[in-house]
């Protein structure tokens, strides 16, 4: 790999580490501060916590330390839990819906599923409080674009059952109303845990969900290429502006096989028109107004269900300086990152 960044590729040992060294020709005056960066390959998230506590590594980003370990880690005077540096990378826990399925193409069914989900339980139990309940396709920590006045779906099992009755799927004696294939994304423990929870939540309203677990390539192909799913637990990324994220999850006309896009085959000409107009609108307030309308339409028609918004955590040695000092720090160039004398 060749680039203009502060570090250059030096060495890779398969299954063990990647090593980068200082770019002596870097354009930044007095940068980079570090002589080298070594990315260790560790077997699991528990291994990251152990390596930090033993002083073998100095940083674990993207919540590689399990949330359940953070209270213990916080008591370690040599380590710090940092939530800054992810502001432009808000992850969104969503229930992806395959609209090619006649059952799920029914809005009342989608509304029932939304009412069956206890978002507070998900935030408190799956994320141990390190998340926020979502109201729509734009997260609250994007205040410029966030529109709170959208359709809400409070947790209400009886309401969900009533909607399914109205949709023409009554409860059957000893059987389910219908069955769905549920594919949780394997990328995070939180998406897998959400899959387990949603299976139980659907069972409570008389819907049977078959959990289908795949590795990363299998999941991507099943959901985005082959569309071999009914529901999927996904982790979309809001990148600070709906034009470069979020809208692609519901815009029609995106070719099959385009990962992390409109995998559900949803199409709404009104929403498409707003997306296209906002993309070329220069006036800031008009553009914000278009995205406000976009959020209202998405929340009302439920092409997907936004459940929770979360940022990641970093655990870092207190000797590492200039951590989390920009909204994309974890994936920035670390030119000013240094070790205390």
């Amino acid at each position: 790999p060749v680039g203009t960044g502060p570090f250059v590729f030096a060495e890779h040992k398969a299954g063990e580490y990647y090593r980068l060294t200082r770019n002596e020709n870097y354009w930044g005056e007095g940068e980079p501060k570090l002589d080298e960066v070594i990315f260790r390959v560790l077997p699991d998230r528990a291994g990251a916590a152990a390596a930090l506590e033993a002083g073998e590594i100095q940083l674990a980003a993207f919540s590689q330390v399990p949330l359940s370990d953070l209270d213990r880690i916080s008591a370690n005077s040599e380590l710090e839990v940092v939530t800054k540096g992810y502001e432009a990378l808000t992850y969104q826990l969503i229930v992806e819906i395959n609209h090619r399925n006649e059952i799920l193409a029914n809005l009342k069914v989608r509304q029932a599923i939304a009412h069956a989900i206890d978002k507070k339980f998900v935030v408190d139990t799956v994320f141990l409080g390190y998340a926020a309940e979502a109201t729509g396709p734009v997260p609250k920590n994007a205040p410029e674009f966030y529109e709170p006045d959208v359709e809400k779906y409070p947790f209400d099992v009886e309401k969900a059952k009533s909607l399914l009755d109205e949709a023409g799927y009554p409860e059957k004696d000893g059987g389910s109303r219908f069955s769905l294939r549920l594919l949780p994304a394997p990328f995070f423990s939180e998406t897998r845990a959400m899959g387990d929870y949603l299976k139980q939540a659907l069972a409570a309203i008389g819907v049977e969900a078959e959990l289908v677990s795949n590795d990363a390539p299998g999941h991507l192909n099943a959901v985005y290429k082959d569309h071999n799913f009914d529901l999927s637990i996904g982790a979309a990324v809001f990148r600070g502006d709906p034009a470069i994220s979020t809208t692609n999850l519901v815009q029609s006309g995106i070719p099959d096989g385009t990962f992390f896009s409109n995998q559900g085959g949803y199409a709404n000409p009104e929403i498409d028109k707003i997306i296209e107009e906002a993309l070329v609108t220069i006036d800031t307030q008009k553009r914000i107004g278009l995205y406000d309308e976009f959020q209202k339409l998405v929340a009302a028609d439920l092409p997907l269900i936004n459940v929770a918004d979360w940022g990641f955590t970093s655990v870092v040695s207190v000797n590492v300086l200039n951590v989390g000092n920009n909204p994309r720090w974890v994936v920035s160039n670390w030119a000013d990152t240094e070790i205390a004398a």
Side-chain angles (χ1 to χ4, degrees):
V2 177
T4 59
F7 301 98
V8 295
F9 176 79
E11 182 185 10
H12 168 225
K13 192 164 185 178
E16 294 189 27
Y17 61 82
Y18 296 80
R19 186 167 66 89
L20 311 180
T21 55
R22 190 178 195 276
N23 182 356
E24 299 298 339
N25 298 312
Y26 184 59
W27 53 267
E29 185 176 352
E31 294 176 338
K33 306 289 188 181
L34 300 174
D35 293 322
E36 66 177 12
V37 178
I38 299 173
F39 290 91
R40 287 272 307 276
V41 179
L42 298 173
D44 51 41
R45 295 169 79 190
L52 281 160
E53 291 174 305
E56 297 172 3
I57 62 174
Q58 292 154 306
L59 169 69
F62 282 107
S63 298
Q64 283 303 302
V65 174
L67 298 178
S68 56
D69 289 343
L70 292 184
D71 282 346
R72 185 186 78 252
I73 291 285
S74 298
N76 188 327
S77 61
E78 299 298 316
L79 299 172
E80 182 180 6
V81 178
V82 179
T83 57
K84 293 182 178 179
Y86 298 97
E87 290 82 358
L89 294 166
T90 301
Y91 273 65
Q92 300 174 283
L93 185 73
I94 57 176
V95 178
E96 301 171 321
I97 299 170
N98 192 343
H99 293 258
R100 303 170 186 85
N101 182 322
E102 181 182 354
I103 297 172
L104 296 172
N106 189 318
L107 176 58
K108 289 184 182 295
V109 172
R110 302 197 298 273
Q111 291 172 334
I113 294 172
H115 279 297
I117 298 171
D118 185 346
K119 294 181 180 180
K120 184 178 186 305
F121 176 86
V122 172
V123 167
D124 292 344
T125 306
V126 173
F127 291 96
L128 301 181
Y130 288 91
E133 296 179 38
T135 56
V138 174
K140 296 174 184 176
N141 69 348
E144 180 182 9
F145 295 107
Y146 176 65
E147 171 55 66
D149 186 20
V150 299
E151 188 76 26
K152 307 289 198 312
Y153 302 90
F155 176 54
D156 189 334
V157 171
E158 294 308 314
K159 175 69 173 177
K161 290 180 178 179
S162 176
L163 283 165
L164 291 177
D165 290 340
E166 294 174 22
Y169 299 101
E171 285 192 281
K172 302 172 184 176
D173 292 337
S176 63
R177 300 173 188 264
F178 51 82
S179 298
L180 299 171
R181 290 164 299 164
L182 171 59
L183 281 64
F187 314 127
F188 304 105
S189 60
E190 290 81 9
T191 50
R192 294 192 294 269
M194 178 62 191
D196 293 334
Y197 165 71
L198 185 57
K199 177 181 173 68
Q200 298 175 43
L202 292 173
I205 61 172
V207 175
E208 181 182 359
E210 175 195 358
L211 273 176
V212 180
S213 298
N214 294 305
D215 60 11
H219 179 82
L220 292 172
N221 283 330
V223 175
Y224 298 98
K225 181 181 176 183
D226 302 328
H227 311 305
N228 187 22
F229 77 106
D230 296 313
L231 300 175
S232 172
I233 307 300
V237 185
F238 183 81
R239 302 182 185 277
D241 192 302
I244 57 172
S245 55
T246 303
T247 52
N248 61 300
L249 301 177
V250 298
Q251 186 175 18
S252 67
I254 297 175
D256 287 350
T258 304
F259 294 161
F260 308 114
S261 61
N262 182 1
Q263 70 293 325
Y266 175 77
N268 185 320
E270 189 176 2
I271 289 178
D272 285 344
K273 183 180 178 181
I274 289 174
I275 292 172
E276 291 167 5
E277 185 178 353
L279 191 62
V280 295
T281 297
I282 297 174
D283 182 88
T284 299
Q285 291 308 311
K286 183 178 178 182
R287 187 166 178 266
I288 289 171
L290 287 167
Y291 284 128
D292 287 348
E293 187 63 24
F294 164 78
Q295 292 169 76
K296 292 177 181 179
L297 289 171
V298 170
D301 205 35
L302 290 178
L304 46 77
I305 300 171
N306 289 84
V307 179
D309 302 320
W310 88 94
F312 292 98
T313 58
S314 299
V315 178
V316 61
S317 166
V318 294
N319 294 323
V320 181
L321 307 180
N322 297 325
V323 171
N325 59 3
N326 74 68
R328 293 174 58 85
W329 179 81
V330 181
V331 292
S332 64
N333 66 26
W334 298 359
D336 65 346
T337 302
E338 59 183 316
I339 303 295

